[in-house]
Amino acid sequence: MTRDKNELYVTVPSLFRCPISMDVMKSPVSLCTGVTYDRSSIQTWLDNGHKTCPATMQILPSTDFIPNLTLRRLIDLWSHSHPLSSPQSTASAPSVSKQQVLDSIQTIEKQNVNRLNSLSQIADFATYSDENRSFLARTDGFIPTIFGILKNAEEIEVLEYIMTVFDLIMSENGVKEQLQRLVFKCNGDCLSPFVSVLERGSLSSRTTSARILESIALDADSLRAITEKQGLLFGLYRLLDSETDSKAIEAGLSCLIAVTTSRSVKKQLVQLGIVRATGKILSGSNTVPSVIEKDLKLLEMVSTCSEGRAAICEDESCVAAIVKRLMKVSSAATEHGVAVLWSVCYLYRDRTAQEAAMRNNGMTKVLLAMQSDCTAGAKQMCRDLVKVFRVNSKSCLASYATKTTHIMPY
């Protein structure tokens, strides 16, 4: 086959190809024989009346199949590193119909068996199009039914699929409000499934959980419930250590910003090591503007409490990283950074933080920020910082002059 001279040839691992279609599998499922196929291909085979395994030709004692989650994650990882060969790169028909999805919902509601397969079908259906997601959101009883499973399930795979489905339909009209009522108004503990996914789930599932929590943190009661639930803040904090996944970092930062509304929460985050984690992101190679903006915003929020200011002052590398990011990302990021420096250098008057900022060209950066189109409040903070830096600079010069006079021979 002729290809454009610039097109790359990528070798697809044979394990990732469906034995029927020979294409990279989008939704791998395994028969009772142990052979894995793409869901749409094996469903078509079975719908045509075949009662055998296509690869082995064994007669099937059962035509049920279960999602091969391990293989699916491997394919996802491989696809992200080979975008030209990603199974998502070309449009294809959905692997399940609306009627099959409705049947799956009824199956889940009536019996516990084969729930994983039904949830996998629903997730594939929701992934395919906006129309499908809208269909699910409008289906009577769908959200309460799926939530009922989430509330009582223990298998991590089941929890992961439900989180995926909720995340996909969250933007549909009324979904977040309905889910918020179910989570926070129900009898019993409905936040433990989120803790389980944040502790034991895949990185993508943990990211999804953080996005859902942010979406349903709509009032003071929900914010308090999230921050008081043991393990949730730590699970969100752990997402910031996902150095190679900007989506995970951003989801963690966004959710932490949403729930960090009280001094007690800020204090907890400081104890967890939030200053070290955010400083590490700033010092690293991440250049995604939205990530840096949120990172600096969270630091600004933490710097409003004495524990946060003290932790920032003790971490000279964090102060240096803040200064280096000024005027290099966005106006919002610069204003958040200026606010943090103002808290530790002007309000807290910490000499170590002032010197760390000065060593990293802080005076010049603040002057540039002051001349930019930042807000009036940020300009005033810049003026305050310039005064502090000038005093600090004169003090250093005075100290130098005194030492010089002391050693003069005349």
Side-chain angles (χ1 to χ4, degrees), residues 270-288:
V270 171
Q271 291 171 345
L272 286 173
I274 198 68
V275 171
R276 179 201 62 79
T278 50
K280 187 177 179 182
I281 293 171
L282 293 175
S283 302
S285 58
N286 198 313
T287 58
V288 180

Side-chain angles (χ1 to χ4, degrees), residues 207-377:
T207 303
T208 297
S209 297
R211 286 200 294 261
I212 295 172
L213 284 170
E214 180 188 1
S215 297
I216 62 177
L218 301 175
D219 55 33
D221 289 339
S222 56
L223 288 170
R224 184 172 58 254
I226 290 172
T227 54
E228 290 179 356
K229 177 61 182 177
Q230 186 175 2
L232 272 187
L233 278 182
F234 179 67
L236 294 169
Y237 163 78
R238 283 182 58 222
L239 284 172
L240 274 57
D241 284 331
S242 312
E243 297 180 12
T244 59
D245 196 315
S246 293
K247 290 182 179 179
I249 295 173
E250 186 168 4
L253 288 170
S254 293
C255 191
L256 286 173
I257 288 169
V259 302
T260 304
T261 57
S262 67
R263 186 180 183 281
S264 62
V265 176
K266 295 170 187 175
K267 186 176 179 180
Q268 286 183 64
L269 289 178
V270 171
Q271 291 171 345
L272 286 173
I274 198 68
V275 171
R276 179 201 62 79
T278 50
K280 187 177 179 182
I281 293 171
L282 293 175
S283 302
S285 58
N286 198 313
T287 58
V288 180
S290 57
V291 170
I292 303 303
E293 286 177 10
K294 289 180 173 66
D295 190 89
L296 286 167
K297 183 175 182 178
L298 184 58
L299 261 178
E300 180 187 355
M301 296 174 76
V302 170
S303 72
T304 60
C305 73
S306 57
E307 292 85 358
R309 289 192 292 271
I312 295 170
C313 293
E314 291 171 3
D315 191 340
E316 292 186 38
S317 62
C318 180
V319 175
I322 293 170
V323 173
K324 290 176 182 178
R325 292 286 186 171
L326 295 183
M327 303 300 295
K328 285 190 174 182
V329 181
S330 67
S331 58
T334 295
E335 291 195 19
H336 293 316
V338 166
V340 178
L341 293 176
W342 183 85
S343 289
V344 297
C345 295
Y346 178 79
L347 185 64
Y348 203 54
R349 300 281 174 160
D350 185 82
R351 188 62 177 268
T352 302
Q354 293 170 358
E355 292 176 353
M358 290 288 287
R359 280 197 302 271
N360 289 276
N361 210 20
M363 174 75 87
T364 301
K365 287 292 190 74
V366 169
L367 285 170
L368 288 172
M370 188 167 62
Q371 295 169 18
S372 68
D373 59 349
C374 62
T375 62

